Amino acid sequence: MNPLSSWWLVRRLKSRGRVLKRVIRALKWFMPMMRDVIRGDFRPVPWRAFGLMALALAYLIMPFDLIPDFLVLVGLLDDVMIVGWLLNGVDRQLETYRLWKQNKDKQNTPPSDA
């Protein structure tokens, strides 16, 4: 099968859907978590999540990569894979924060009138 065909790409993305969802979820939850940590509302501080996010940002910003970006498709693909892998780790580290936040939101919701 031609690896550049659109059907191959669609099938490949569907098989990686779980990872893509985790990356998106990590990006969605990181900023609120950081705000709650700075305010002192959420403890213990998830230092590993901060470290993985810093590594992901540094890898995107650094001028050198494992595969240079002038090799357009392959150079960008390694950026996507490494940053995705790091953000997947961020998502795993934010699990305790998500549970804390959901419990906090449940406690703050007023009971509904039946």
Side-chain angles (χ1 to χ4, degrees):
M1 174 161 276
N2 182 4
L4 296 178
S5 72
S6 60
W7 289 111
W8 179 86
L9 183 61
V10 168
R11 280 199 347 240
R12 188 78 174 155
L13 286 175
K14 282 184 180 179
S15 71
R16 300 292 183 204
R18 187 182 80 238
V19 174
L20 291 173
K21 286 179 186 177
R22 290 187 80 163
V23 166
I24 291 168
R25 188 171 59 181
L27 292 172
K28 174 185 166 190
W29 284 91
F30 187 79
M31 292 305 286
M33 182 272 303
M34 195 166 78
R35 182 177 13 112
D36 285 337
V37 166
I38 290 170
R39 287 181 185 164
D41 295 338
F42 179 69
R43 295 287 188 250
V45 177
W47 292 112
R48 188 172 173 116
F50 281 107
L52 289 170
M53 184 61 79
L55 282 173
L57 291 173
Y59 192 80
L60 285 175
I61 294 171
M62 293 287 183
F64 53 89
D65 289 339
L66 290 177
I67 301 172
D69 287 340
F70 66 81
L71 300 171
V72 178
L73 186 59
V74 180
L76 293 176
L77 186 61
D78 89 307
D79 290 351
V80 169
M81 289 178 62
I82 290 173
V83 170
W85 176 68
L86 290 168
L87 290 178
N88 195 17
V90 169
D91 183 60
R92 283 194 303 269
Q93 297 300 314
L94 294 181
E95 185 64 32
T96 56
Y97 173 73
R98 280 191 297 274
L99 292 172
W100 173 82
K101 189 70 168 178
Q102 290 167 353
N103 288 335
K104 183 181 170 192
D105 290 345
K106 283 181 186 177
Q107 291 173 357
N108 292 337
T109 56
S112 62
D113 294 332

